């Protein structure tokens, strides 16, 4: 092998190594494996699969896995773990997508990286704030709830490179309802007007409703790659994704037999009694598929990643440079012109580098997605809160008509109370994704912090 060939080969190897340096996968060390097993013992069994994936995949998929874990924890009434999980996800999101100049500069730099940590599409970031807002409502922290819902509306307006008008009306409504519960009627009315300008149907639930049931229904969108290099990020609706919520079942109370409301007369027994409340109209208030497939209300066919264009351009430039370099070098050799031959070799070298860069570029769209999101959000208002021991269920009409779904009723906080539930619990399309055990240096510190995160959520 002559000197020029060795130079080209060395450059090719270096170029390939640089192109592949962003992703580092491997296996957990024996010590890390032992730490993970010890950590999983402190996590409720239904959450261990997602928690172990969080541990293995490290920072690159931390936002994705914290979001999935947080929502599953809500389904299991593990609210402390849910709060910690969403706080960790949002802390990472806000480093890039907060509404301030520092974050905008960080976003500009971050979008230029070849390999990115998952931060989610606008609708996914919005839903993370939505669930954190619900958890604040559960705690009666209405000011932080309002701030979270307003952030949800804001996140839905921004992509990596552009900003759009907001149209996630349910978030604005929930922010207004939080203000009403906090006693800030002026701000509540202002936010309500804003919400109604986007979704007039929300007027069916008066802002002064002291009870609100929030029901997440169906299965959310999935991401797919289309185009020549699968570089177009598009969104599809899951098969049989729709669950239609048709109302709330009459609430019941579990009361002791000696209670005057129960006529069973059996000492020490318990029975249920119907509890009458005045529910307002049920409204389909949010459509997650719509939010994923539009920007500011405008349909999008797909989101193009510039790496596809780079790959094609680099390939064309590389092939042209190799051809020119070969012709020039041969002409120099035949004419005994060393300078011409050297110029041809250099041109050929640049062509080889461009071709290698084209081969190394991976323009396929990032189809990682939050797999246990709902498709729709429904709201039902009530004139006044049910008692704290009320049992509430949503009525769902789908392929098995007549289903009822239990709601988690969080009781009265101040003047308001909230119930929440999902028609599909446990289902998470992210669970089927192959685990990508990350081996980046930052992951050691990340895994060390998880023990503290789970301990504080215990």
């Amino acid at each position: 092998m002559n000197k020029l060939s060795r130079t080209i080969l060395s450059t090719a190897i270096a170029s390939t190594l640089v192109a592949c340096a962003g992703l580092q996968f491997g296996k957990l060390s024996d010590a890390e494996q032992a730490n993970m097993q010890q950590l999983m013992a402190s996590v409720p069994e239904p959450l261990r699969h997602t928690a172990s994936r969080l541990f293995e995949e490290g920072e690159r998929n931390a936002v994705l896995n914290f979001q999935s874990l947080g929502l599953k924890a809500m389904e299991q009434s593990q609210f402390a773990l849910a709060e910690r999980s969403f706080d960790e996800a949002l802390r990472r999101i806000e480093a890039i997508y907060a509404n301030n100049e520092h974050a905008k500069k960080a976003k500009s730099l971050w979008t230029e990286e070849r390999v990115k940590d998952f931060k989610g599409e606008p609708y996914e970031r919005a839903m993370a704030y939505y669930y954190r807002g619900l958890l604040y409502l559960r705690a009666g922290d209405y000011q932080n709830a309002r701030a979270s819902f307003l952030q949800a509306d804001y996140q839905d307006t921004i992509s990596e490179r552009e900003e759009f008008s907001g149209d996630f009306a349910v978030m604005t409504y929930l922010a207004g309802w939080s203000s009403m519960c906090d006693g800030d009627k002026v701000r509540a009315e202002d936010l309500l007007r804003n919400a109604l300008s986007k979704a007039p149907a929300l007027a069916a639930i008066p802002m002064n409703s002291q009870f609100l049931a929030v029901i997440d229904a169906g299965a959310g969108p999935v991401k797919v790659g289309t185009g020549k290099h699968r570089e177009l990020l598009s969104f599809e609706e899951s098969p049989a994704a729709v669950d239609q919520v048709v109302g709330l079942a009459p609430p019941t109370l579990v009361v002791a037999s000696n209670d005057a409301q129960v006529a069973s007369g059996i000492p020490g027994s318990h029975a249920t009694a119907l509890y009458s409340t005045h529910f307002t109209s049920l409204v389909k208030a949010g459509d997650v598929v719509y939010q994923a497939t539009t920007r500011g209300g405008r349909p999008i066919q797909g989101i193009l990643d510039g790496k596809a264009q780079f790959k094609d351009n680099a390939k064309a430039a590389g092939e042209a440079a190799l051809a020119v370099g070969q012709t020039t070098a041969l002409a120099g050799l035949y004419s005994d012109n060393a300078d011409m031959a050297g110029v041809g070799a250099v041109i050929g070298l640049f062509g080889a580098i461009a071709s290698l860069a084209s081969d190394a570029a991976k323009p396929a769209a990032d189809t990682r997605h939050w797999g246990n999101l709902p498709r729709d959000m429904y709201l039902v208002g009530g004139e006044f809160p049910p008692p704290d021991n009320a049992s509430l269920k949503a009525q769902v009409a789908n392929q098995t008509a007549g289903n009822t779904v239990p709601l988690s009723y969080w009781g009265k906080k101040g003047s308001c109370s909230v119930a929440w539930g999902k028609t599909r619990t446990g289902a998470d399309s992210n669970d089927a994704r192959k685990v990508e055990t990350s081996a980046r240096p930052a992951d050691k510190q990340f895994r060390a912090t998880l023990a503290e995160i789970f301990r504080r959520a215990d």
Side-chain angles (χ1 to χ4, degrees):
M1 180 182 294
N2 60 36
K3 185 176 181 180
L4 177 59
S5 297
R6 287 197 300 271
T7 302
I8 292 176
L9 179 60
S10 299
T11 305
I13 293 172
S15 176
T16 302
L17 289 174
V18 169
C20 298
L23 291 177
Q24 299 177 41
F25 298 128
K27 295 182 178 180
L28 296 178
S29 67
D30 291 342
E32 288 176 323
Q33 188 71 34
N35 288 340
M36 185 179 77
Q37 295 303 322
Q38 183 179 4
L39 185 61
M40 291 306 105
S42 67
V43 178
E45 194 281 330
L47 307 177
R48 287 177 186 169
H49 176 77
T50 304
S52 63
R53 180 186 286 275
L54 170 68
F55 187 95
E56 290 190 64
E57 295 192 329
E59 277 289 358
R60 180 170 179 265
N61 285 337
V63 170
L64 174 61
N65 290 322
F66 273 126
Q67 289 171 334
S68 293
L69 179 63
L71 187 46
K72 287 181 179 179
M74 287 181 68
E75 295 172 4
Q76 296 291 322
S77 296
Q78 298 287 332
F79 297 114
L81 180 56
E83 290 170 354
R84 291 292 295 167
S85 296
F86 282 116
D87 284 344
E88 290 296 322
L90 293 175
R91 181 170 65 83
R92 290 164 171 81
I93 289 172
E94 287 174 352
I96 304 297
Y97 288 106
N99 190 12
N100 58 55
E101 288 302 316
H102 175 76
K104 289 179 180 178
K105 291 179 181 178
K107 182 177 70 171
S108 175
L109 293 173
W110 179 76
T111 56
E112 296 302 318
E113 295 180 4
R114 293 178 60 83
V115 180
K116 297 178 292 187
D117 292 351
F118 180 91
K119 295 297 186 293
E121 293 301 313
Y123 76 96
E124 291 168 306
R125 300 193 301 272
M127 292 300 287
Y129 280 100
Y130 162 73
Y131 285 113
R132 192 60 184 95
L134 290 180
L135 289 166
Y136 280 126
L137 286 182
R138 173 184 172 273
D141 187 347
Y142 296 117
Q143 292 186 11
N144 274 323
R146 177 183 63 233
S148 293
F149 292 130
L150 290 176
Q151 269 294 318
D153 188 43
Y154 170 72
Q155 289 296 325
D156 190 59
T157 69
I158 54 173
S159 62
E160 290 182 2
R161 298 171 180 86
E162 297 179 82
E163 295 193 11
F164 302 84
S165 58
D167 63 350
F168 213 165
V170 64
M171 304 303 178
T172 311
Y173 178 89
L174 289 171
W177 191 76
S178 300
S179 292
M180 187 277 297
C181 294
D182 193 46
D184 190 343
K185 293 184 178 180
V186 173
R187 184 174 295 185
E189 291 174 358
D190 182 60
L191 288 168
L192 176 60
R193 284 192 295 270
N194 190 338
L196 294 183
S197 70
K198 305 171 188 176
L202 287 167
I205 305 176
M207 185 61 79
N208 61 359
S209 300
Q210 293 187 357
F211 166 74
L212 194 66
V214 183
I215 307 149
D216 293 339
V222 298
K223 299 177 188 175
V224 295
T226 59
K228 179 181 176 182
H229 302 292
R230 291 184 291 114
E231 77 280 4
L232 284 169
L233 177 61
S234 301
F235 306 91
E236 291 183 352
E237 189 169 352
S238 302
V242 177
D243 289 340
Q244 183 181 1
V245 178
V246 295
L248 295 187
T252 59
L253 296 178
V254 178
V255 293
S257 62
N258 59 358
D259 193 297
Q261 297 181 65
V262 179
S264 64
I266 303 174
S269 71
H270 291 74
T272 59
L274 292 180
Y275 172 76
S276 176
T277 189
H278 298 286
F279 293 137
T280 56
S281 300
L282 176 142
V283 174
K284 179 181 171 181
D287 183 330
V288 180
V289 171
Y290 175 81
Q291 299 304 144
T293 56
T294 62
R295 292 290 185 273
R298 299 192 301 274
I300 55 172
Q301 298 300 316
I303 301 170
L304 176 64
D305 192 319
K307 285 184 291 187
Q309 185 176 2
F310 165 81
K311 183 180 182 74
D312 288 341
N313 290 345
K315 181 179 180 180
E319 290 174 349
L322 281 170
V324 172
Q326 182 180 24
T327 301
T328 304
L330 288 174
L333 290 173
Y334 287 136
S335 63
D336 200 23
N337 186 331
D339 291 338
M340 181 181 292
V343 170
V346 171
I347 295 174
L349 174 61
F350 282 118
I353 293 173
S355 295
L356 285 166
S358 173
D359 291 339
K362 305 297 182 184
D366 182 2
T367 56
R368 292 173 292 172
H369 64 277
W370 187 353
N372 55 342
L373 283 177
R375 190 201 186 287
D376 302 304
M377 294 106 89
Y378 289 81
L379 298 181
V380 180
E383 185 178 341
F384 52 87
D388 287 354
N389 61 337
S391 175
L392 300 173
K393 295 181 180 181
Q395 296 174 321
V396 182
N398 55 10
Q399 56 267 38
T400 53
N403 279 352
T404 59
V405 175
L407 302 181
S408 179
Y409 180 47
W410 296 331
K412 188 176 180 180
K413 303 292 192 303
S415 62
C416 297
S417 66
V418 177
W420 171 81
K422 285 185 75 196
T423 64
R424 304 188 188 194
T425 58
D428 187 349
S429 59
N430 191 47
D431 290 342
R433 181 175 56 79
K434 181 181 178 181
V435 175
E436 300 173 333
T437 304
S438 182
R440 299 188 303 184
D443 294 323
K444 289 186 177 181
Q445 178 63 29
F446 171 79
R447 290 171 182 136
T449 64
L450 285 183
E452 177 66 12
I453 291 171
F454 287 126
R455 184 189 68 79
R456 292 178 63 183
D458 190 357

